[in-house]
Amino acid sequence: MLIPGIKEFRAQDYTEALPLLLESAHDGYAEAQCAVGNIYQLGLGDIDIDEMKAIHWYYQAANQGYSSATSNLAGMIWPISSDAAAALNQLAQQQKAEAMEETVLAG
């Protein structure tokens, strides 16, 4: 199932993607939460950069084990605490390994 807003995000139509992704993010889809974090972190499309919103959405996705969000969160935290960022990077690697293991077991 393609999560609403992901197609638009991948097509780089961020203005169209954001409202769809926000709805999906509020519904708990980690991929959408991470994409919303990307939009706010980088100010994609005509969206203003908002680091607090980016951190919020990366955190939501990271709490679900979404390794890309955990890595992105680590990158944002690095200037504040390199130790916390290193721990997040280690967690992201663990999440990625666990996701790959689940894929192998499901296949």
Side-chain angles (χ1 to χ4, degrees):
M1 175 185 118
L2 189 60
I3 298 166
I6 294 297
K7 181 178 85 172
E8 293 79 3
F9 180 81
R10 290 179 181 159
Q12 299 180 357
D13 185 357
Y14 305 113
T15 304
E16 182 74 24
L18 186 58
L20 299 170
L21 288 169
L22 280 169
E23 186 173 333
S24 298
H26 285 290
D27 287 343
Y29 290 100
E31 184 177 4
Q33 293 167 339
C34 186
V36 170
N38 288 156
I39 291 171
Y40 283 126
Q41 179 186 9
L42 302 172
L44 300 175
D46 62 355
I47 309 303
D48 291 333
I49 291 174
D50 189 327
E51 291 182 348
M52 292 307 296
K53 286 182 181 178
I55 288 171
H56 167 80
W57 287 112
Y58 286 148
Y59 179 79
Q60 297 301 314
N63 268 346
Q64 295 187 64
Y66 199 74
S67 64
S68 295
T70 307
S71 293
N72 292 347
L73 184 58
M76 293 192 76
I77 298 300
W78 186 266
I80 299 166
S81 170
S82 60
D83 290 338
L88 284 168
N89 275 322
Q90 185 175 7
L91 176 59
Q93 293 304 315
Q94 180 182 352
Q95 289 170 333
K96 188 179 286 186
E98 289 172 1
M100 292 176 79
E101 184 177 315
E102 287 176 15
T103 301
V104 169
L105 292 175

